[in-house]
């Protein structure tokens, strides 16, 4: 089948290119999971063209996974500075609620309003963390708890529906046969990668995450950079919120983005970025997010009950995390050859 | 103490006593004072429930002491104790959780105040701690959805089921009732059953996967444990190029406004009502309790079942 002809060589090439890089293990896990589905889950790889767009479970994985992928981009930078943003799920709910509320006014106003409040939410977190030096986990916990209430206020506690084609397109439309959300994710990824890898910003972020005091003494603008990464996480959460609301053509303030902050953190960690800050893996986070979504969809497709579905999910995640643990890998290496002299220095994306 | 002062004191005490007597008398015979502790305001359904109770009390001129527990049992226990202190005539409440009510219910019993439970039940060792429990019968709701489906499909159906949040009472009971209703039908079987967590987004996501499975093409009925999941699934069905309501017959539970709109548009076939508007029924029961009538321990809420033919007529009057 065409899917096989495209997918497996691509995966093999990716694995080969990354054989010496931290991206390897999440890619291996994703490849194994896909292989498992290829062999044992009938219909998982079935693709057809319906209404001029690709239609199939793999396409759903990309579309449904886009929210966590977007969140993971912002979360990666926040975690790289040694912080964490727990409020992204609630920010999604606020952005979706504002968009639905303003849907009747005009499309630019609705989109701008949704993204605007998300930027504000990010700026609020950034302010608390950088100017008031509140611990990130507490600073963002505030908005995580309060944000859903704000979203409820915006929607009056009701589910608000909207039908505007442009807003519906955002989460359901297709571009060149593929979900538009995929283009959105790739666009945001390219933009972020450009910002952090083609300017000194990425280096600043890693330096701050490694040792903030040292970074400040060398003259890095530590606080503005920290402020900015939270604003960026807010923007990503806003986009994810708009996609989530668009997906179901309504703003469900109670449930949009619920617990997704945890999936985003998981995606970042599985992707090879340490929670302690410093070096980060932007592409790894995307692979991590894809892995989580593929797992979820696999469990639906195999009819695993939701009450036990968390167990296989936890096992796969645990396996990936263990594979990445430097301690475990050093132990495994020492089993193979006697007394390793030094751990190989790992390259980055 | 001067005689003058004593006589004043006596007069004041007498006045006070007579006042207290008349107010107690009026309360018992005419307009009882009712204390109601609500779970919170977590959904449109709950808000409609609260409005119905408040509205009915105002209509009947009953003094209602309303307390919102904001999803916390400790708030609810505090509210119940304050009702005892205010010596209300009847206490009604929707318990946040099932257990842990024995001590406070004993205090209420000692104070001689009758208790009516609404919407959710409690687990207590001594059933005399409350008078009656009025609330939806989730098993019956599932049963009615199943019965409607048996009639509609004449016993021939390949069913996909969107289950509620795993472990929640409505999810367990609605599944049980539905399975009971279709048990005798050899031509009806549930081929897919998965949780959509009572939300639109999950309902859509799970339905997408159902439709793409190899058996997906044979699905011709969807049973969703609530309307929101059905509304999400409808979008997945449309995106698959199928006609919801025609290619796939859809039955769900709750009877929210969105479900009626979908029925009018021909995309949903039937919704079994889970009625939050219990105000009138509740205050009828309060009157019965105050009049000293004996009531059954379990009273079901009056609930309807609506299909497409009734949807347009019922839509304007839907309050939630």
């Amino acid at each position: 089948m065409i899917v096989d002809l495209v997918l497996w060589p691509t995966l093999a090439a990716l694995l080969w290119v990354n054989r010496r890089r931290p991206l390897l293990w999440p890619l291996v896990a994703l490849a194994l999971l896909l292989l498992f589905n290829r062999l044992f889950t009938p219909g998982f790889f079935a693709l057809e063209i319906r209404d001029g767009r690709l239609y199939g479970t793999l396409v759903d994985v990309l579309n449904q996974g886009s929210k966590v992928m977007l969140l993971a981009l912002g979360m990666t930078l926040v975690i790289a500075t040694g912080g964490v943003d727990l409020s992204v799920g609630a920010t999604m709910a606020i952005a979706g609620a504002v968009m639905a509320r303003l849907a009747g006014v005009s499309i630019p106003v609705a989109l701008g309003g949704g993204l605007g409040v998300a930027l504000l939410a990010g700026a609020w977190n950034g302010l608390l963390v950088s100017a008031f030096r509140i611990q990130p986990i507490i600073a963002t916990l505030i908005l995580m708890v309060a944000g859903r209430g704000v979203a409820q206020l915006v929607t009056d506690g009701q589910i608000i529906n909207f039908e505007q084609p442009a807003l519906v397109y955002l989460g359901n439309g297709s571009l060149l046969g593929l979900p538009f959300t995929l283009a959105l994710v790739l666009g945001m990824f390219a933009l972020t990668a450009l910002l952090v890898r083609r300017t000194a910003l990425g280096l600043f972020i890693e330096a701050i995450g490694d040792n903030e005091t040292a970074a400040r003494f060398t003259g890095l603008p530590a606080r503005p950079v920290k402020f900015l990464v939270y604003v960026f996480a807010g923007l990503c959460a806003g986009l994810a919120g708009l996609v989530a609301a668009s997906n179901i053509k309504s703003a469900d303030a109670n449930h949009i983005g619920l617990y997704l902050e945890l999936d985003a953190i998981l995606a970042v960690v599985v992707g090879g970025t340490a929670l302690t800050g410093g070096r980060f893996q932007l592409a790894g986070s995307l692979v991590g997010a894809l892995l989580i979504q593929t797992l979820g969809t696999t469990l639906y497709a195999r009819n695993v009950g939701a009450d036990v579905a968390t167990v296989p999910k936890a096992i796969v995640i645990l396996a990936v995390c263990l594979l990445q643990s430097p301690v475990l890998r050093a132990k495994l290496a020492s089993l193979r050859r006697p007394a390793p002299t030094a751990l190989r220095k790992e390259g980055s994306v | 103490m001067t005689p003058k002062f004593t006589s004043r004191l006596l007069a004041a005490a007498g006045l006070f006593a007579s006042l207290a007597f008349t107010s107690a008398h009026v309360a018992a015979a005419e307009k009882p004072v009712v204390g109601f502790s609500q779970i919170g305001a977590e959904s449109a359904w709950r808000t409609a429930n609260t409005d119905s109770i408040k509205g009915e009390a105002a209509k009947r001129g009953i003094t209602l002491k309303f307390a919102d527990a904001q999803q916390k049992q400790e708030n609810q226990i505090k509210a119940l104790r304050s009702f005892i202190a205010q010596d209300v005539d009847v206490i009604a409440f929707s318990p946040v959780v099932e257990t842990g009510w024995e001590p406070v219910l004993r205090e209420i019993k000692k104070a001689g105040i009758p208790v009516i439970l609404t919407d959710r039940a409690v687990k207590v060792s001594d059933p005399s701690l409350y008078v009656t429990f009025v609330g939806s019968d989730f098993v019956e709701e599932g049963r009615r959805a199943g019965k409607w489906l048996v009639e509609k499909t004449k016993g021939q159906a390949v069913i996909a089921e969107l289950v509620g949040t795993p472990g929640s009472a409505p999810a367990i009971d609605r599944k049980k009732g539905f399975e009971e209703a279709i048990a005798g039908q050899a031509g009806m079987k549930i081929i897919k059953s998965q949780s959509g967590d009572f939300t639109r987004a999950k309902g859509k996501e799970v339905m997408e996967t159902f439709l793409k499975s190899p058996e997906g093409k044979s699905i011709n009925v969807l049973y969703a444990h609530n309307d929101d999941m059905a509304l999400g699934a409808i979008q997945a069905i449309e995106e698959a190029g199928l006609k919801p309501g025609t290619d796939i017959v859809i039955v769900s539970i709750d009877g929210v406004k969105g479900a009626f709109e979908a029925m009018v548009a021909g995309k949903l076939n039937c919704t079994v009502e889970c009625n939050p508007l219990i105000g009138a029924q509740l205050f009828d029961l309060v009157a019965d309790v105050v009049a000293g009538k004996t009531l059954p321990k379990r009273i079901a809420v009056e609930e309807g079942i609506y299909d497409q033919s009734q949807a347009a007529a019922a839509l304007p009057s839907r309050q939630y």
Side-chain angles (χ1 to χ4, degrees):
Chain A
M1 284 207 310
I2 304 169
V3 197
D4 295 301
L5 289 178
V6 176
L7 185 73
W8 302 114
T10 316
L11 269 175
L14 274 175
L15 285 173
W16 177 251
V17 169
N18 287 293
R19 68 191 183 282
R20 296 274 162 83
R21 293 194 181 157
L23 203 55
L24 179 66
W25 294 113
L27 274 175
V28 165
L30 184 63
L32 285 179
L33 191 60
L34 287 173
L35 190 65
F36 170 82
N37 280 316
R38 182 72 189 90
L39 298 177
F40 302 112
T41 313
F44 200 88
F45 275 69
L47 279 183
E48 55 184 297
I49 294 186
R50 231 180 243 195
D51 305 330
R53 61 156 83 184
L54 272 178
Y55 175 89
T57 308
L58 286 178
V59 181
D60 286 348
V61 169
L62 290 175
N63 196 19
Q64 295 286 358
S66 62
K67 285 161 279 184
V68 177
M69 286 198 269
L70 285 170
L71 291 181
L73 284 177
M75 190 69 80
T76 309
L77 300 192
V78 170
I79 287 179
T81 64
V84 70
D85 188 348
L86 295 179
S87 72
V88 290
T91 305
M92 282 176 71
I94 303 177
V98 169
M99 177 176 81
R101 249 286 132 91
L102 298 175
V105 184
S106 82
I107 305 300
V109 171
L111 294 176
L115 290 181
V117 289
L119 284 170
L120 268 181
W124 164 259
N125 286 330
L127 196 72
L128 291 183
V129 172
S130 65
F132 296 103
R133 307 244 198 123
I134 301 177
Q135 298 232 325
I137 200 167
I138 297 300
T140 57
L141 187 68
I142 296 169
L143 195 60
M144 174 191 173
V145 176
R148 217 159 274 285
V150 174
Q152 290 276 5
L153 278 177
V154 173
T155 59
D156 278 337
Q158 307 287 330
I159 295 178
I160 305 183
N161 301 318
F162 52 86
E163 290 291 337
Q164 283 76 2
L167 299 185
V168 173
Y169 177 83
L170 191 63
N172 303 299
S174 58
L175 193 70
L176 306 174
L178 285 166
F180 170 72
T181 47
L182 185 64
L184 189 66
V185 170
L186 291 179
M188 279 303 284
F189 173 66
L191 185 78
T192 320
L194 263 178
L195 271 176
V196 297
R197 298 301 186 205
R198 292 281 168 250
T199 72
L201 193 61
L203 211 59
F204 286 7
I205 290 173
E206 293 187 343
I208 292 165
D210 267 337
N211 188 336
E212 194 184 340
T213 319
R216 227 178 26 248
F217 283 164
T218 50
L220 292 190
R223 288 202 205 158
V225 168
K226 274 177 119 179
F227 176 78
L228 277 180
V229 295
Y230 284 93
V231 174
F232 183 71
L235 175 71
C236 290
L239 279 173
L242 301 192
V243 168
S246 168
N247 247 327
I248 52 169
K249 301 179 195 169
S250 57
D252 183 350
N254 255 328
H255 299 114
I256 282 184
L258 193 62
Y259 304 134
L260 277 199
E261 59 277 344
L262 301 180
D263 276 1
I265 295 170
L266 207 59
V268 173
V269 173
V270 166
T273 304
L275 276 177
T276 43
R279 181 166 289 175
F280 61 91
Q281 313 293 339
L282 212 47
S285 300
L286 288 194
V287 177
L290 267 182
L291 177 66
I292 291 172
Q293 184 62 43
T294 311
L295 252 175
T297 307
T298 302
L299 296 172
Y300 290 142
R302 302 190 56 79
N303 233 3
V304 178
D307 30 3
V308 295
T310 45
V311 178
K313 212 170 164 179
I315 292 172
V316 174
I317 302 285
L318 180 71
V320 178
C321 289
L322 280 179
L323 281 173
Q324 287 178 328
S325 147
V327 177
L328 189 80
R329 277 164 65 187
K331 284 241 166 72
L332 287 177
S334 69
L335 285 181
R336 265 185 282 145
R337 55 196 139 113
T341 45
L343 278 175
R344 191 189 294 116
K345 204 169 164 52
E346 288 167 342
S348 58
V349 183
Chain B
M1 231 185 257
T2 63
K4 199 175 174 189
F5 182 70
T6 316
S7 68
R8 268 196 194 162
L9 195 69
L10 277 174
L15 186 66
F16 195 72
S18 65
L19 267 178
F21 177 73
T22 32
S23 71
H25 178 75
V26 167
E30 302 274 342
K31 300 281 167 67
V33 176
V34 178
F36 184 81
S37 167
Q38 179 63 286
I39 293 179
E42 75 277 13
S43 62
W45 192 96
R46 187 67 58 193
T47 315
N49 183 244
T50 302
D51 290 348
S52 157
I53 291 165
K54 281 184 176 168
E56 189 67 25
K59 207 167 88 189
R60 299 192 185 194
I62 289 173
T63 312
L64 179 71
K65 314 253 183 212
F66 184 87
D68 184 334
Q70 297 174 329
Q71 318 287 335
K72 290 204 179 74
Q73 186 175 30
E74 69 226 54
N75 290 347
Q76 207 151 31
I77 291 176
K78 264 183 229 158
L80 297 182
R81 293 217 167 104
S82 85
F83 291 153
I84 302 176
Q86 296 174 57
D87 196 24
V88 300
D89 298 295
V90 178
I91 290 176
F93 74 110
S94 295
V96 175
V97 291
E98 270 192 346
T99 51
W101 298 105
E102 297 250 9
V104 70
L105 286 178
R106 267 185 227 292
E107 287 169 38
I108 298 175
K109 194 183 176 190
K110 214 187 256 172
I113 305 171
V115 173
I116 300 174
L117 302 174
T118 65
D119 180 41
R120 299 188 187 179
V122 295
K123 275 203 179 108
V124 285
S125 58
D126 175 7
S128 77
L129 289 176
Y130 65 90
V131 179
T132 182
F133 161 45
V134 50
S136 300
D137 184 341
F138 298 135
V139 180
E140 178 59 24
E141 286 166 3
R143 222 178 270 138
R144 292 167 91 178
K147 274 184 200 150
W148 180 86
L149 204 57
V150 170
E151 256 174 55
K152 170 85 181 176
T153 63
K154 301 186 180 62
Q156 293 300 320
V158 182
I159 304 165
E161 182 186 29
L162 286 171
V163 182
T165 306
S168 69
I172 294 168
D173 291 351
R174 285 171 183 175
K175 186 176 179 62
K176 189 176 152 208
F178 184 80
E179 281 171 356
E180 263 176 47
I182 64 164
Q185 307 292 330
M188 295 176 87
K189 57 176 187 286
I190 302 173
I191 63 157
K192 289 272 174 188
S193 177
Q194 183 70 261
S195 170
D197 235 354
F198 283 132
T199 69
R200 280 190 199 198
K202 276 280 160 63
K204 183 179 177 188
E205 194 180 345
V206 173
M207 193 66 197
E208 278 176 354
T209 326
F210 281 175
L211 290 170
K212 278 158 197 149
S213 66
E215 317 91 304
K217 291 195 178 67
S218 62
I219 295 171
N220 58 18
V221 167
L222 170 68
Y223 166 50
H225 285 195
N226 79 344
D227 290 336
D228 274 331
M229 288 193 293
L231 293 174
I234 284 172
Q235 293 183 26
I237 295 169
E238 283 177 332
E239 279 164 25
L242 299 169
K243 271 210 171 70
T246 317
D247 295 332
I248 296 181
V249 171
I250 306 172
V251 53
S252 62
I253 298 176
D254 265 2
V256 301
K257 211 175 203 167
F260 280 82
E261 285 160 1
M263 279 196 286
V264 171
K267 295 176 179 177
L268 182 75
N269 299 82
C270 173
T271 183
V272 179
E273 186 181 40
C274 180
N275 189 0
L277 309 177
I278 60 165
Q281 208 176 353
L282 174 64
F283 287 107
D284 285 347
L285 290 174
V286 167
D288 288 350
V289 168
V290 172
K293 286 186 197 159
T294 4
L295 295 170
K297 273 277 158 202
R298 177 77 174 89
I299 297 171
V301 176
E302 293 145 13
E303 293 179 330
I305 175 166
Y306 297 87
D307 63 16
Q308 285 179 350
S309 62
Q310 303 147 306
L315 180 58
S317 65
R318 300 308 289 179
Q319 294 173 33
Y320 56 98

